[in-house]
Amino acid sequence: MATIHQINEFVECAHRVGRAGLTICSSGNLSWRIGDEVLISGTGSWVPDLKPDNVAVVRLADGALLNGVRPSMESGFHLEVLRRRPEMNVVLHFQSPYATALACRKSRPADLNFTAEVPIHVGSPIPFIPYFRPGSPELASHVVEAVVGQGCNSVMLCKHGQVVCGEDFNHAFERAMFFEMACRIAVLNGNDVDPLTAAEIDDLAPYIQGKKH
Ligand SMILES: [Zn+2]
């Protein structure tokens, strides 16, 4: 069973996410694999103010509750990503301000490769998943298809927000922050954008190697 030290560390990560402005109040959720268990923010919990009592401990294999706290309603895709991408140990899902603004735009830029950080740390291309009810099995299966089927590490959920995964918390957090930065550039610049060319992205290959998109 996860130790109180590990739960406290998870809580501190949730607070970092809140301090970075990635999520407010009860929106957003995060998960963290520890061996064959997973810590997940509890359903309805406020991530920026997460308390140890709001952290669900579940068994990775079947999602069984191990400490009586019910996990986020998005735990379906959290658990499936962690099961099927064994090198990934953290999944973050937020309605960060600019990602959500872009997720609700009718027209969107062809890609989000505005600076080198995007293809290097976030991914290229970033799939946009159509709207499905939050917490629904349909949403979960589309996220899993993108993250497992296509090997993407960052996904946009239309009319909803962003999902990223990473090898550890800092890795996923950096990815979420650069995802948000790319969306901020897209929103602030509208149609007047000058993304990196294919040749400029190819030139970054030494930095992208070993990273799946
Ligand atoms: Zn959601």
Side-chain angles (χ1 to χ4, degrees):
M1 181 83 167
T3 66
I4 188 64
H5 174 72
Q6 289 166 324
I7 290 176
N8 286 338
E9 208 179 329
F10 181 80
V11 164
E12 174 52 25
C13 290
H15 296 174
R16 280 178 65 193
V17 160
R19 286 196 298 272
L22 287 170
T23 190
I24 56 165
C25 301
S26 59
S27 79
N29 33 74
L30 62 160
S31 62
W32 182 10
R33 177 213 311 271
I34 297 174
D36 54 7
E37 297 175 2
V38 180
L39 306 183
I40 308 181
S41 49
T43 187
S45 62
W46 288 31
V47 167
D49 303 312
L50 199 70
K51 309 280 189 299
D53 288 353
N54 307 132
V55 179
V57 184
V58 307
R59 194 160 54 208
L60 177 63
D62 59 3
L65 306 190
L66 300 178
N67 71 340
V69 179
R70 285 205 317 148
S72 158
M73 67 175 176
E74 305 287 21
S75 58
F77 69 70
H78 281 264
L79 290 174
E80 197 60 9
V81 165
L82 293 172
R83 285 181 194 121
R84 297 178 61 187
R85 291 285 303 273
E87 79 281 25
M88 295 298 167
N89 294 298
V90 170
V91 180
L92 306 177
H93 165 45
F94 307 123
Q95 287 171 302
S96 52
Y98 286 99
T100 310
L102 189 61
C104 298
R105 268 182 70 133
K106 245 185 201 169
S107 61
R108 68 179 78 112
D111 66 65
L112 298 177
N113 297 314
F114 300 119
T115 67
E117 285 83 358
V118 183
I120 293 175
H121 295 290
V122 187
S124 177
I126 297 168
F128 278 60
I129 290 177
Y131 176 80
F132 296 97
R133 181 175 52 79
S136 65
E138 292 80 10
L139 178 64
S141 71
H142 280 77
V143 171
V144 169
E145 205 289 312
V147 177
V148 178
Q150 300 174 41
C152 297
N153 298 321
S154 308
V155 180
M156 179 71 99
L157 313 183
C158 290
K159 307 184 207 181
H160 190 158
Q162 60 151 296
V163 177
V164 299
C165 56
E167 291 164 17
D168 56 28
F169 176 78
N170 281 340
H171 189 219
F173 181 67
E174 180 179 50
R175 186 162 275 155
M177 291 294 280
F178 286 138
F179 193 151
E180 177 69 358
M181 182 190 78
C183 295
R184 187 175 70 229
I185 294 168
V187 169
L188 294 180
N189 291 351
N191 295 326
D192 184 20
V193 289
D194 183 21
L196 297 171
T197 64
E200 287 166 341
I201 293 171
D202 282 350
D203 188 44
L204 295 168
Y207 304 100
I208 301 174
Q209 269 175 9
K211 289 172 183 277
K212 283 191 179 176
H213 63 72

